[in-house]
Amino acid sequence: MINAILVFNNHGKPRLVRFYQHLAEEVQQQIIRETFHLVLKRDDHICNFLECGSLFGGSDYKLIYRHYATLYFVFCVDSSESELGILDLIQVFVETLDKCFENVCELDLIFHMDKVHHILQEVVIGGMVLETNMNEIVAQVEAQSKLEKAEGGLSAAPSRAVSAVKNINLPEIPRNINIGDINIKVPNLSQFM
Amino acid sequence: MPAVSKGDGMRGLAVFISDIRNCKSKEAEIKRINKELANIRSKFKGDKALDGYSKKKYVCKLLFIFLLGHDIDFGHMEAVNLLSSNKYTEKQIGYLFISVLVNSNSELIRLINNGIKNDLASRNPTFMCLALHCIANVGSREMAEAFAAEVPRVLVAGDTMDSVKQSAALCLLRLHKACPDLVPVGEWTARVVHLLNDQHMGVVTAAVSLITCLCKKNPDDFKTCVSLAVSRLSRIVSSASTDLQDYTYYFVPAPWLSVKLLRLLQCYPPPEEAAVKGRLVECLETVLNKAQEPPKSKKVQHSNAKNAILFEAIALIIHYDSEPNLLVRACNQLGQFLQHRETNLRYLALESMCALASSEFSHEAVKTHIDTVIGALKTERDVSVRQRAADLLYAMCDRSTAQQIVAEMLSYLETADYAIREEIVLKVAILAEKYAVDYSWYVDTILNLIRIAGDYVSEEVWYRVIQIVINRDDVQGYAAKTVFEALQAPACHENMVKVGGYILGEFGNLIAGDPRSSPLVQFGLLHSKFHLCSVATRALLLSTYIKFINLFPETKGTIQEVLRAGSQLRNADVELQQRAVEYLKLSSIASTDVLATVLEEMPPFPERESSILAKLKKKRGPGPGPEGDEGRRDGGAELNGGGEPPPSTASTPSPSADLLGFRGGAPAPPPAGSSLLVDVETPPNPPPPGGAPPDDAFLGAGPPPPDAPPLPEADELLNKFVCKNNGVLFENQLLQIGVKSEFRQNLGRMYLFYGNKTSVPFQSFVPTLAVQTRAVEPGVEGGAQVQQVLNIECLGEFRGAPLLGLRFRYGGAPQSLTLKLPVTLNKFFQASEMGAQDFFQRWKQLSMPQQEAQKIFKAAHPMDPEVTKAKLLGFGSALLEKVDPNPDNFVGAGIIQTKTLQVGCLLRLEPNAQAQMYRLTLRTSKESVSKHLCDLLAMQF
């Protein structure tokens, strides 16, 4: 099982944090800090696994991480997961982000946190791997976007309409329209009433 | 086209994030965040109903603030509103907030569960998935209670979409992990197994994960999965790299699923059916063959995926441990990886080889790689890899390689990382002992250990070397000579002084013939270290000095001078002062014969499991993996020195024997009808001549056991001491009895203080125990206190506490009183720490009805979690945090240590504040222990 997924940048600023076991806020922050210190002091060509001691309260856990440009992706897993498998999974996640954001960069993670969470949700739920097939994941994310767009179209309309109605000072409108020589057909306002 | 278009974000959110990013200081950032929090709070509280868009925006802001490390304690209600919306975008963000910021407020959970229920029933696959993800992410008990029945239905329903099935399988898995008791096995189990045949690979993958977890509890229910898994695996392994289209990852067909299937097979023994087995062996061979083929891609992802399968296949081969041919091939493959340029592969190869080393078929094959592994220990840049190399060396060590491996590990120790030094020390000590043919080598090794890494040599290690030297007379002279030489170093570690002091005190005479190590030289050498040492070491050295007086009468004058010095006789430390006073007295009044008897050489220690081994096991934690294997192998192996004669009952342990915590060696007649062994000694107060070595207790004839029945309130008094060790046991207008006790493993020591509250002396004061005892001073002056010390050993399980009878005369009137001594079974509880997974695994293992004892009872005291915690700790169990999904519950684990058996205990206490009730559940491997502990503990709350 995956206990936590942590993404932070080279300065230790968390960019995506997901815990799959219940931990108090302070504990989470401490784990993020300690994980960062453990990972930071390792150079890039040594192994991608390290035992995290009692960080999660057991000897069974390992940190498996990859370093991409400015970001560290760290998965904390127990012994039921294959180390190389998780390493692949990190790659799948990052490649998926890259496809969804077109050349993903740290800023995308910052400004589209909700999206990143939704993408992660298609890969891992409750600490278990849901899907490893990138095309399938991207298809799900695209389906989500479509839904959002469709709703955006629908939901945006009424709210615009409402504010439009609020701003309209009905008696004035005909007068305004009549000013000048532009002849505009007065819309039939009855539907708004 | 990117799936996420960047333009449609929320402007307010972007502005806020930019603001935060532009903050120049932490203070400015906090200020900005607080401003935003206040803003959101007022928006949420305001009268104006917020539309979905604004709610979503604010919730996103809260998530961002949470990510920055600030606690968020509001917004949950808004999130619940969002997830109940029928707009996807709002629902999605509502669920996200709830699963990231889990809250255990029960009213809130009811609302969330309601939303989930509606979505599960909606037949809209997108909504169903969102709901299932939320259950899986939160995975709380309340959710398990609400949905454990529903999720399996969704999973096996014929018309469920693939994506929903995938989510449902993992959701069920999570619920099973969180609350195994709530996920019932039903007719759906058979259908889950058949998901292995599903068309959709994603569904199969999720199903394999689920079955792997479920089958551990009920292997028989899922047995049919073996043949299905084998055929699925065989189809994947033999497929061309293009057959599986989307599930081919960098030219490797379905690596993730293959790994999962191989893991599943590791839950079962090799298939019995010849056809299935043949097919599986073929698969494993194919995987091994593929490793030798040239890579289809230069990308690291390709080799990663390929090797993930390979390592899992090797793990399965090791698990079966029945195909010598495959085992040797696996070993050769790992041997190649040991020299691979990828650090990850070297790491994994070392780890897998550890497991291979314990197989009889491949042990020899593993040994051929010894030089490579030693090379890894010396040259790897990565501490994780070096640690694995040390583990492997330990696992592959046998009589033929021991000297080489121990030497390498010792030299590695000089530069080893601090984090792993103690473990290396333990390993070296164990190997040196286990494979010692020549005990002088063993002594050298341990002394080297102390020299190189004295700080990391734990008590167990130096206790053990003393045990062994005492038990083997062929090495005593050598040991004395070696420690003498080692002590000559200008700066030597305190542990060296301890070992040196002890050994010279026992066997210094063996080297005293040489004028270079004459008695006075030995004494001078030891005493030159005295002032730099801690109290414990100085106490030990004082015992050495008195032993010297016996061994070498010529040192008597010098040593008495030292003992008489003000710095000893008036030492502020009571232990040192007492020793100095007693030893001085003893040396001046006892005759040579008495001295020789009291200070006789230590008797051999009884053979027992090496304390170091126990320590290493404890350190590594119980659990699966190579450590577990080591433990199994070592436990079975006969430790050296096993043939020692049993301790003679006429022996005289020296006063410092208890310093070593080896009281188990003290001779003792078994007390009739009780599994508790209590010996009673009266300490010198003021010190009588003779220093009261513990065996005094056995000189007095056992007085009659207490005749009166215990006081009616004796049980209640006893009850007060279940969770504490010190306090007032009994008090009336005449007398106060105080107790101080400490327990370690199956041994305990108890001090009883009898205080006379009157101004008249008590006469004929006789406390008696149901077991042998010795009288204390027969009179207790008015206002005075006498003290009695009991050494206790728990021989086996017991229920009744030993009785303490008191008889004395107060002003001519005979008084008598019988109490229960506060010694209950839980005193011999040794706490064990473990993680949630371990705990639940053990919990499951103890699932037979007679192993469990449960009580539901009303709280007798206010329900304060801190008090409860303290009581549970006092009870002796470890308190395991974050094991129970409900943070209000307490779980604990420990081992009841008796001389004859050890009983593992798990406990769980569930307070219900509303009902003012508790539910207490104990599971142990012994029915009577479960019940007894449950009874004892239930009285405490």
Side-chain angles (χ1 to χ4, degrees), chain B residues 448-459:
Chain B
N448 268 331
L449 268 186
I450 297 177
R451 211 180 349 245
I452 295 168
D455 284 342
Y456 299 89
V457 171
S458 54
E459 288 181 337

Side-chain angles (χ1 to χ4, degrees), chain A residues 9-99:
Chain A
N9 70 6
N10 292 346
H11 306 289
K13 279 249 181 245
R15 292 307 181 206
L16 171 69
V17 171
R18 201 65 215 261
F19 283 87
Y20 295 104
Q21 71 183 79
H22 300 292
L23 294 170
E25 162 72 17
E26 319 77 87
V27 183
Q28 294 191 6
Q29 289 299 323
Q30 189 188 343
I31 289 178
I32 296 171
R33 270 196 309 275
E34 286 181 21
T35 307
F36 172 64
H37 287 299
L38 279 174
V39 172
L40 182 72
K41 63 182 180 206
R42 299 170 61 83
D43 67 50
D44 272 354
H45 301 290
I46 59 179
C47 87
N48 297 77
F49 324 124
L50 73 157
E51 276 105 55
C52 50
S54 54
L55 205 56
F56 279 80
S59 55
D60 195 23
Y61 299 109
K62 271 190 189 148
L63 298 177
I64 296 174
Y65 72 98
R66 270 179 186 274
H67 188 194
Y68 295 90
T70 62
L71 292 174
Y72 285 96
F73 285 71
V74 186
F75 283 38
C76 173
V77 303
D78 67 14
S79 63
S80 69
E81 301 290 348
S82 146
E83 289 94 341
L84 289 174
I86 293 291
L87 217 47
D88 282 342
L89 188 69
I90 298 178
Q91 177 72 16
V92 166
F93 180 47
V94 174
E95 282 187 37
T96 309
L97 287 176
D98 199 54
K99 279 195 180 163

Side-chain angles (χ1 to χ4, degrees), chain B residues 150-164:
Chain B
E150 178 63 17
V151 177
R153 265 202 293 279
V154 175
L155 175 60
V156 298
D159 57 348
T160 306
M161 302 256 301
D162 288 335
S163 61
V164 180

Side-chain angles (χ1 to χ4, degrees), chain B residues 433-501:
Chain B
E433 178 185 340
K434 194 164 153 189
Y435 298 114
V437 183
D438 170 6
Y439 275 85
S440 52
W441 172 71
Y442 168 75
V443 170
D444 284 341
T445 303
I446 301 295
L447 294 185
N448 268 331
L449 268 186
I450 297 177
R451 211 180 349 245
I452 295 168
D455 284 342
Y456 299 89
V457 171
S458 54
E459 288 181 337
E460 286 86 350
V461 172
W462 71 263
Y463 286 180
R464 190 70 188 161
V465 69
I466 286 174
Q467 275 183 6
I468 286 180
V469 168
I470 284 176
N471 286 8
R472 302 200 63 98
D473 43 21
D474 53 339
V475 76
Q476 289 160 355
Y478 180 80
K481 180 166 156 283
T482 320
V483 289
F484 179 77
E485 281 161 9
L487 284 173
Q488 279 168 331
C492 61
H493 195 271
E494 189 163 338
N495 280 334
M496 187 69 89
V497 179
K498 288 179 183 162
V499 175

